[in-house]
Amino acid sequence: GQQVMQIPQYQHVQEGEDFTTYCNSSTTLSNIQWYKQRPGGHPVFLIQLVKSGEVKKQKRLTFQFGEAKKNSSLHITATQTTDVGTYFCAERDAGNNRKLIWGLGTSLAVNP
Amino acid sequence: DAGITQSPRHKVTETGTPVTLRCHQTENHRYMYWYRQDPGHGLRLIHYSYGVKDTDKGEVSDGYSVSRSKTEDFLLTLESATSSQTSVYFCAISPTSETQYFGPGTRLLVL
């Protein structure tokens, strides 16, 4: 069935280092979404990518959608302690467009 | 944050007792979802609704039922709680079935 693989599962960085998480799908995607969940909090929508090769930026966060629309990445430049949390990607379920298929998330820890 | 609340926020109950969690939205969105989140499993869909009285099962629906008698409320019921249902439960809403907005969550402990 349709799957979303997210790597790495965990990442530990020093404050100021860069961080990247990758999301790979078993199917060609119509779009992909990214969410962030702070420890003890709830997932919060960050962005949706739709176009092949699309790149979007939100301050220090850069989101990319692969040319073949089968993968995506989230890159954080110069991490800060406020970036701590789990980052999830999600894609529309091709068999039921009322649902999303979620990656397991990448947990980011930042040492000050 | 989207106008979505969950109640209760925390609950401790005993095995075998019924439990109902409530999700309330002020946005009038059509789609509502119940997820559970457990370490190592990410977000798993329990049930979802695409309108009043229109609901369907997710990937982990066994032991759970839902009801949606009004647009703004989506109830999740554990008919007879088990320890394996100890989890954090999130409700989400969506205007289009794509981008989802989550409530603050309910932490449920079944002893």
Side-chain angles (χ1 to χ4, degrees):
Chain A
Q2 188 177 356
Q3 290 186 345
V4 180
M5 306 300 295
Q6 212 174 331
I7 54 171
Q9 189 175 1
Y10 302 100
Q11 185 86 52
H12 219 126
V13 300
Q14 287 294 128
E15 189 171 23
E17 292 181 342
D18 291 356
F19 159 79
T20 304
T21 174
Y22 301 90
C23 187
N24 298 299
S25 175
S26 57
T27 63
T28 301
L29 305 168
S30 58
N31 62 61
I32 194 154
Q33 302 171 30
W34 287 93
Y35 294 75
K36 176 184 178 181
Q37 183 178 22
R38 287 199 162 97
H42 58 276
V44 175
F45 171 75
L46 293 177
I47 208 162
Q48 176 170 277
L49 305 175
V50 178
K51 298 177 183 177
S52 169
E54 189 171 17
V55 178
K56 286 189 177 180
K57 293 191 175 184
Q58 291 180 351
K59 298 183 181 178
R60 294 177 295 102
L61 277 60
T62 301
F63 304 84
Q64 291 192 341
F65 203 6
E67 293 288 343
K69 299 184 75 174
K70 297 193 76 169
N71 55 71
S72 181
S73 65
L74 159 58
H75 179 82
I76 302 178
T77 303
T79 55
Q80 300 176 359
T81 54
T82 53
D83 297 324
V84 166
T86 301
Y87 293 85
F88 294 96
C89 62
E91 63 184 45
R92 178 186 277 189
D93 186 335
N96 182 339
N97 63 10
R98 294 169 175 158
K99 302 190 296 184
L100 294 178
I101 305 292
W102 293 83
L104 292 182
T106 296
S107 293
L108 173 64
V110 180
N111 286 340
Chain B
D1 282 344
I4 178 169
T5 57
Q6 293 184 232
S7 59
R9 295 292 314 279
H10 303 270
K11 186 166 182 68
V12 180
T13 191
E14 294 187 349
T15 298
T17 60
V19 176
T20 294
L21 308 183
R22 180 183 184 233
C23 178
H24 178 79
Q25 62 154 327
T26 59
E27 306 293 323
N28 206 36
H29 288 330
R30 179 181 175 191
Y31 295 91
M32 299 185 76
Y33 303 82
W34 276 108
Y35 292 91
R36 60 177 290 174
Q37 186 174 41
D38 306 286
H41 293 276
L43 291 162
R44 292 185 291 176
L45 182 65
I46 305 171
H47 282 279
Y48 65 100
S49 171
Y50 45 96
V52 173
K53 297 186 179 176
D54 289 324
T55 64
D56 205 349
K57 296 179 179 179
E59 60 184 303
V60 290
S61 59
D62 287 348
Y64 302 95
S65 63
V66 290
S67 67
R68 191 168 179 199
S69 58
K70 298 184 291 184
T71 299
E72 58 265 36
D73 289 324
F74 192 30
L75 304 180
L76 176 70
T77 298
L78 291 64
E79 301 291 346
S80 178
T82 66
S83 58
S84 64
Q85 293 176 312
T86 291
S87 187
V88 180
Y89 291 86
F90 288 105
C91 176
I93 61 176
S94 175
T96 61
S97 81
E98 292 196 354
T99 306
Q100 296 186 5
Y101 302 94
F102 286 78
T106 294
R107 294 183 179 275
L108 176 67
L109 175 61
V110 183
L111 299 174

